[in-house]
Each structure stands twice: as structure tokens, then as C-alpha cells.
Amino acid sequence: IGYDLLTVLLLDLSGSVFETDSLGPLVDAAKAFATNLTAEEHYISIHHFDGRATTEKLIDFTKDKDSLLKALDSVLQKSPVDNSTNLNGAVVDALAILDEKNFDSEALVFDGSLVVFTDGTDQAGIVENSVALDVVKGSTHTLYTIGLGGEVDTTHLEGLGKSGSFLAGDINELEAAFDLSATEVLRQLSLIHI
């Protein structure tokens, strides 16, 4: 029971993602991300959010690549539920999931990371920016953000992504941004293993 290596991948599925034809490229980029991490014996759980108060779990922690890819394919069948974006609340939620896993872990080394994708700003206002940033600062987990397009608040995303923040100007750059975040998650792990 040496290492527990867990990542929560948190995807923004608010209305704008569906309206801008970003869904297909987002799923492809997330699949490449999952493939990269599971190759390194990494457990991934995928959650998504929109404007509602809580995140929705797509799949619980697993290192089974096929299960993760299948779960991501199911996203293509979804329809928008809420056009708003509860970005801050979703980040706080996801960090709490990692905290709980850390508390339950019997591993000597626990490494939790959160990778958040969004194409917008927090519109729901359920959790204030300052509160979300305080939670992120106080967290022991690594946190990366991926922003898509011109609607994102880059300053706030950089604050949330305390371990790294990647911006894709358009959907053509999305997979590269996900690849960079996967590389960073794995680089962080290699530092822990030393």
C-alpha cells in the first residue's frame, strides 16, 4: 500500500459548451488525458458541473482506461441542464472529494490532484471567488485549470490553478492544453516518488 495516486477531472458541461460545438473536442481531449494517466497506474474520477449547486459524478475512481473512455463517450449523449456556471462551487466540491479519499487512505504517500476544465466564469455566485481561492490555497492537493476561449477570467483561473493554468484560445488548442496538464500531474508524481 505504498502510493495512492488519484486525480479528479472536473468538466464544465454548462450550456455554452453545447452551444459552441466544443463537446466533441472536449471529450477527445479528456480521453487523451485519461489514457495518459492510466498508463501510469493512476486512478481517475470524472465529475461534471453546470450552474447547479453540486457536481455530478460521471465515474468513480478507477484506473481502467476502457471504463473511463466509455464514461466520457456517454457525455456526448447529454443535453444541457443549466446554462449557468458554478465554477467555484464545483472546485470546492471536488477538493472535498479528494480530502475524503486522503482521510480514508492507508497509503504511505497520497497524491491528489484536481484538473478543472471550463469555458467561462463563475456565474452562479453560490461560492464567492475569494472563498474558492482561500479553499484552494489551504488545500494540500495540486490543482490545474484549463480554460477555453475568450469568456474565461484568466486571472481567477490562474488563482484556482495554483499548480498550473493552461489556456486554449480555441477548440483546436484544447487537446494540447489537456496534454500539458497531464504532463504536469505526472511530473508532480515523479517528484514525490524520489
Side-chain angles (χ1 to χ4, degrees):
I1 313 178
Y3 297 94
D4 269 356
L5 313 174
L6 295 112
T7 293
V8 173
L9 179 59
L10 185 58
L11 303 176
D12 181 349
L13 293 185
S14 52
S16 55
V17 173
F18 293 86
E19 288 159 17
T20 55
D21 293 330
S22 304
L23 198 59
L26 171 59
V27 166
D28 289 343
K31 281 176 156 183
F33 176 90
T35 301
N36 283 338
L37 263 60
T38 51
E40 302 294 329
E41 296 297 294
H42 211 91
Y43 288 89
I44 303 173
S45 179
I46 305 171
H47 294 246
H48 60 88
F49 68 97
D50 47 32
R52 291 172 290 174
T54 54
T55 61
E56 300 267 321
K57 180 164 62 183
L58 193 64
I59 185 169
D60 206 356
F61 288 101
T62 179
K63 56 182 178 180
D64 180 55
K65 183 182 84 168
D66 292 341
S67 299
L68 288 160
L69 299 186
K70 200 168 160 187
L72 284 164
D73 275 334
S74 75
V75 170
L76 297 170
Q77 312 307 317
K78 291 190 177 296
S79 306
V81 177
D82 190 312
N83 283 330
S84 188
T85 308
N86 181 22
L87 173 61
N88 292 333
V91 166
V92 171
D93 257 15
L95 287 173
I97 291 164
L98 285 169
D99 285 343
E100 191 180 323
K101 284 288 177 189
N102 191 5
F103 184 74
D104 292 342
S105 174
E106 292 173 9
L108 292 172
V109 176
F110 178 94
D111 183 67
S113 51
L114 172 59
V115 177
V116 185
F117 161 80
T118 186
D119 72 339
T121 56
D122 185 282
Q123 298 165 335
I126 296 169
V127 175
E128 294 294 325
N129 280 5
S130 58
V131 173
L133 290 170
D134 283 346
V135 171
V136 165
K137 276 184 203 141
S139 174
T140 57
H141 310 300
T142 53
L143 207 158
Y144 303 92
T145 53
I146 300 168
L148 170 64
E151 296 293 310
V152 294
D153 177 347
T154 49
T155 307
H156 185 54
L157 267 192
E158 282 167 12
L160 291 176
K162 65 176 181 177
S163 313
S165 187
F166 309 98
L167 193 61
D170 58 41
I171 52 174
N172 299 320
E173 297 172 14
L174 195 54
E175 195 157 328
F178 269 83
D179 282 349
L180 284 169
S181 65
T183 301
E184 280 301 304
V185 169
L186 295 173
R187 189 182 67 83
Q188 184 66 29
L189 289 183
S190 68
L191 298 177
I192 290 167
H193 282 278
I194 292 165

